[in-house]
Amino acid sequence: MNPVVRGVAVYLFLLVVFRIMGKRSLSESTTFDFVLLLIISEVTQQALVGQDYSLTGAFILITTLISLDLIFSLIKEKFHLFGKIAEGVPLIVVDQGKPLTKRMRKCKVSEEDILEAARFHFGLEKMEQIRYAILEKDGSISIVPEKEKASIK
Amino acid sequence: MERIKPSLQLKDDIDLHISGWIVQRIGWVLLLLLLIAASLGVFGTGWLSAGHVAGKNGTVSFERIARFETPMKLVVQIEKADGDIEIRIPRSYLDCMEIDKIVPEPATQKAAGGSAIYTFDAEAESTITFYLMPESTGSIHTELTIDNTNFPIAHFIFP
């Protein structure tokens, strides 16, 4: 099969599947996610290359993937809604120290995940010390500490 | 769903998230259906993809659904062979299907009248297996001729 068609098909399929799986799947946070990404990359490699081991085939595939990425970034620039749908938008999961549990359940984020991010970035100890926790587009959690409480020793 | 007014310079687009979660749930169901379909053989190598054609002197078992450049088997079983077994495979079929191996190997093989003709030394009951590799996608129809009996065969090859 034509490498361009293969490249486009694999790229689009992976894009849709990862969006369906949800944000957290890409953040490589657990062993399960790591194993999943490892295996998926191996399977993808076979589907992309097939039996074509030529240098030209590899160049065509790389060009295809980079062009697709470029095209998508141009579309995202032009149509903001497309970018929001394709990549998602950030979601606030903690507001003024209060975990927003319904949101957290929907996007599979636990309180432990948030506390881990809070410890990692700011050395925070408790949920009350977090002003905002945001689940970013790439699946990572960013923390805005509560100013006064963060400084309490 | 909790609606908040954060002081952050960040648009809390919760409605987009809610519709996204609905689409996500639909996607999960579709993934599950895809998994069930694949297990049953909708995309080949399964219960739904197994095909059989019976004729007066034997049967041909094959994959009705297969995948591009993925090996598959076509098994010919001859119940009563009168002398040698002759299998004719149309050239048009061999253009889309590569024969990797034939077990047992044919005693003779030649090309005539737009077909490849294989002859095998026959015994009372013989099984001949063709190991095939699809080289094109879509529908493939053909008729194998085994000792003057036609066996219609159809595959659908997924990309």
Side-chain angles (χ1 to χ4, degrees):
Chain A
M1 198 195 288
N2 188 307
V4 176
V5 178
R6 258 196 323 236
V8 173
V10 170
Y11 186 97
L12 293 180
F13 182 76
L14 283 181
L15 193 77
V16 170
V17 166
F18 276 115
R19 280 297 284 140
I20 287 173
M21 271 174 69
K23 276 185 190 159
R24 295 293 289 161
S25 326
L26 261 185
S27 59
E28 274 188 50
S29 55
T30 66
T31 319
F32 287 110
D33 296 334
F34 180 68
V35 169
L36 194 69
L37 280 180
L38 210 68
I39 297 172
I40 288 177
S41 61
E42 183 68 22
V43 175
T44 308
Q45 183 256 332
Q46 284 176 13
L48 276 175
V49 176
Q51 295 187 355
D52 180 357
Y53 301 116
S54 67
L55 203 60
T56 318
F59 288 168
I60 294 172
L61 265 173
I62 292 166
T63 314
T64 307
L65 294 174
I66 288 178
S67 309
L68 270 175
D69 209 59
L70 207 69
I71 291 167
F72 274 121
S73 64
L74 288 175
I75 298 175
K76 268 185 287 181
E77 228 170 76
K78 200 123 180 117
F79 306 100
H80 287 291
L81 186 67
F82 176 80
K84 283 180 174 180
I85 292 169
E87 289 190 331
V89 283
L91 179 72
I92 297 171
V93 285
V94 174
D95 178 33
Q96 316 289 347
K98 275 192 233 94
L100 306 170
T101 44
K102 281 182 188 161
R103 293 175 176 215
M104 285 163 60
R105 216 176 22 246
K106 284 283 186 190
C107 55
K108 303 192 281 295
V109 172
S110 66
E111 283 193 25
E112 282 72 36
D113 292 333
I114 295 168
L115 287 170
E116 186 186 312
R119 282 196 301 272
F120 187 77
H121 295 292
F122 294 98
L124 300 184
E125 296 160 14
K126 291 175 188 161
M127 193 60 89
E128 296 90 76
Q129 295 172 324
I130 302 172
R131 189 171 167 83
Y132 292 112
I134 302 115
L135 178 64
E136 299 291 354
K137 283 195 285 190
D138 63 356
S140 64
I141 297 168
S142 59
I143 303 286
V144 179
E146 194 74 75
K147 282 183 195 95
E148 308 83 57
K149 287 179 184 166
S151 59
I152 294 171
K153 292 276 159 78
Chain B
M1 196 57 56
E2 303 100 338
R3 286 181 188 273
I4 53 169
K5 283 194 179 129
S7 55
L8 282 172
Q9 192 182 354
L10 175 84
K11 194 165 179 277
D12 190 45
D13 207 342
I14 192 68
D15 292 323
L16 188 73
H17 276 291
I18 292 172
S19 35
W21 288 324
I22 294 168
V23 173
Q24 201 176 51
R25 292 296 185 279
I26 296 169
W28 289 358
V29 174
L30 288 178
L31 281 186
L32 186 71
L33 290 178
L34 197 74
L35 191 69
I36 294 170
S39 316
L40 291 175
V42 171
F43 305 106
T45 46
W47 176 63
L48 284 174
S49 68
H52 298 277
V53 189
K56 69 173 196 265
N57 51 352
T59 58
V60 177
S61 311
F62 57 98
E63 292 280 339
R64 284 187 296 142
I65 307 163
R67 295 186 295 274
F68 180 68
E69 286 189 346
T70 303
M72 64 173 188
K73 282 199 287 191
L74 183 142
V75 181
V76 176
Q77 275 185 310
I78 307 292
E79 277 138 23
K80 270 184 197 164
D82 209 11
D84 289 349
I85 302 166
E86 186 192 84
I87 300 179
R88 281 170 181 264
I89 302 178
R91 184 74 236 168
S92 58
Y93 183 69
L94 296 178
D95 286 342
C96 352
M97 203 66 81
E98 185 187 309
I99 299 179
D100 280 345
K101 196 169 64 172
I102 305 173
V103 178
E105 280 190 12
T108 65
Q109 46 184 310
K110 60 178 179 180
S115 296
I117 303 166
Y118 301 90
T119 50
F120 298 86
D121 296 329
E123 285 178 19
E125 206 170 290
S126 309
T127 302
I128 299 156
T129 308
F130 289 81
Y131 292 87
L132 305 172
M133 176 92 91
E135 289 296 335
S136 73
T137 56
S139 283
I140 299 172
H141 296 267
T142 194
E143 275 196 346
L144 297 191
T145 310
I146 303 170
D147 288 343
N148 299 320
T149 309
N150 287 344
F151 292 79
I153 282 174
H155 308 281
F156 182 83
I157 311 297
F158 275 99

